[in-house]
Amino acid sequence: MLLPLLALTAGGGGKGVDERCFSDNECATGLFCGDAYNLYTPYTYNLCTVVPSISGTITGNGSGQNANLTSASPVADFSLTITAPGSYTFLASVGGIPSNTPKPEISVFPDSGKNAVFIKIRNASNNYQIRTFNFTNAGTYRVRVAGYYLSGLFGGGIRLFGSKTAVSGGGSCTHSASGSRCDDFAVNHLFNASYCTTSVSSGTYSANTCATQNGAKVYRGACTMGMGHGNTYGNGLITRNYYDASTDSQINSECSNNNGIRL
C-alpha cells in the first residue's frame, strides 16, 4: 500500500510558487527553492520561487551590470559564459543602505537556474559582497544576486561587476605613501579622484594606466579585486599592480582566494 505513495513523493519537482521546500528539486519546472531570508520575510523555511529572468550579461572585463531588487523580484540573475576554465571575481553592491535594507549575496547556478554550483555566503554587515569562484567547466551559468532580508521592505538598485582578467582603461591611482602599488580602474568604474585620498590615503589619480605611470619600475605581479567603498552601488573592480620592492607574501595577503584573482 505504501509503494504508490512513495513513487509520488520520490519524483518530486511538482511544488508551486510559495510552497515550502527544502531543495530545488522539489519545485516545479522554472522554480527554485528560494531562501526565505531573500524573499519576503525571515521565515525559518524556504519557498518555491520563480527563476528570475536575465538582467544582464557579464563579459569578464570588469563591466558593471545593473538590476533592481523589488518586493516582487528579490533576486536578480546575470548570464555568464565560461569559454575556458578559470577564476572570476564578482562584486555585488547596493547604494548607501540603512540597516533595514537587504544586504547583497552572490551565488552561481547552471543555466537552468536550479541547484547552485557555488552557494552564497551571508554577510549581514556590509552593503557589498566580493567573491571569487574557480570554474572548472566551460558553459553558460547564472550569477545570482539576492538581498538578505533584515527588516523593512525590499527595493532599490543593485550593481554587479565581474572580471576574469586584469581591468584597465578607466584611469589609475598610484599609492603615494607606498609607491610600489598602483590601482587600475575598469572602463565603466564608479571611482573618482577622491578615491585616491579616501581609500588609498595619499594616492595620486591619473587618466593613464598603471603601466604608463610606472613604466620605469620593475613589475612584480597584480591582483584584480572588488572595492566595496562608496555610496553609489560600490565603486567597482580594480587591478592592483605591484612594482619594485613588493613581495609575493605582500600580494597574497592583499589578494585572498575569496576576494580576488591573482595575476
Side-chain angles (χ1 to χ4, degrees):
M1 293 295 294
L2 290 176
L3 288 178
L5 178 60
L6 290 173
L8 286 173
T9 57
K15 291 187 176 181
V17 174
D18 288 342
E19 289 193 66
R20 298 188 187 188
C21 57
F22 293 97
S23 71
D24 289 357
N25 290 332
E26 293 181 59
C27 301
T29 302
L31 305 180
F32 74 102
C33 188
D35 186 338
Y37 279 93
N38 298 131
L39 300 177
Y40 310 108
T41 186
Y43 296 141
T44 56
Y45 53 82
N46 300 332
L47 305 173
C48 288
T49 307
V50 175
V51 172
S53 58
I54 296 297
S55 295
T57 299
I58 301 171
T59 60
N61 61 0
S63 296
Q65 298 289 339
N66 295 311
N68 290 319
L69 294 180
T70 67
S71 59
S73 179
V75 294
D77 278 11
F78 298 86
S79 180
L80 171 68
T81 298
I82 301 294
T83 57
S87 295
Y88 267 78
T89 286
F90 303 99
L91 164 65
S93 52
V94 294
I97 60 176
S99 60
N100 65 342
T101 307
K103 317 294 185 180
E105 299 175 335
I106 305 173
S107 53
V108 178
F109 285 77
D111 196 38
S112 65
K114 304 177 70 165
N115 300 312
V117 179
F118 301 111
I119 62 174
K120 60 184 176 293
I121 294 177
R122 178 154 293 158
N123 185 342
S125 300
N126 299 320
N127 68 333
Y128 61 90
Q129 182 77 247
I130 302 170
R131 296 290 306 278
T132 292
F133 302 106
N134 184 34
F135 292 84
T136 57
N137 296 306
T140 301
Y141 297 84
R142 287 171 176 256
V143 180
R144 181 164 296 165
V145 181
Y148 171 31
Y149 179 98
L150 293 179
S151 62
L153 301 173
F154 282 103
I158 192 163
R159 189 171 177 91
L160 177 69
F161 297 87
S163 184
K164 63 179 178 180
T165 58
V167 300
S168 65
S172 66
C173 180
T174 296
H175 299 232
S176 300
S178 176
S180 61
R181 290 183 293 172
C182 178
D183 298 339
D184 271 326
F185 307 145
V187 171
N188 67 337
H189 69 88
L190 299 179
F191 297 100
N192 53 42
S194 66
Y195 162 83
C196 294
T197 56
T198 58
S199 296
V200 182
S201 297
S202 58
T204 303
Y205 175 79
S206 172
N208 296 315
T209 66
C210 289
T212 300
Q213 291 293 98
N214 299 274
K217 295 183 178 180
V218 177
Y219 178 76
R220 299 299 302 269
C223 174
T224 293
M225 52 190 170
M227 298 297 289
H229 306 291
N231 57 9
T232 307
Y233 304 130
N235 291 124
L237 295 174
I238 65 169
T239 294
R240 179 157 293 170
N241 299 274
Y242 297 85
Y243 300 89
D244 290 348
S246 299
T247 63
D248 284 345
S249 61
Q250 177 188 6
I251 302 174
N252 287 331
S253 67
E254 293 190 2
C255 187
S256 69
N257 291 333
N258 288 332
N259 292 335
I261 303 171
R262 176 77 184 273
L263 303 171

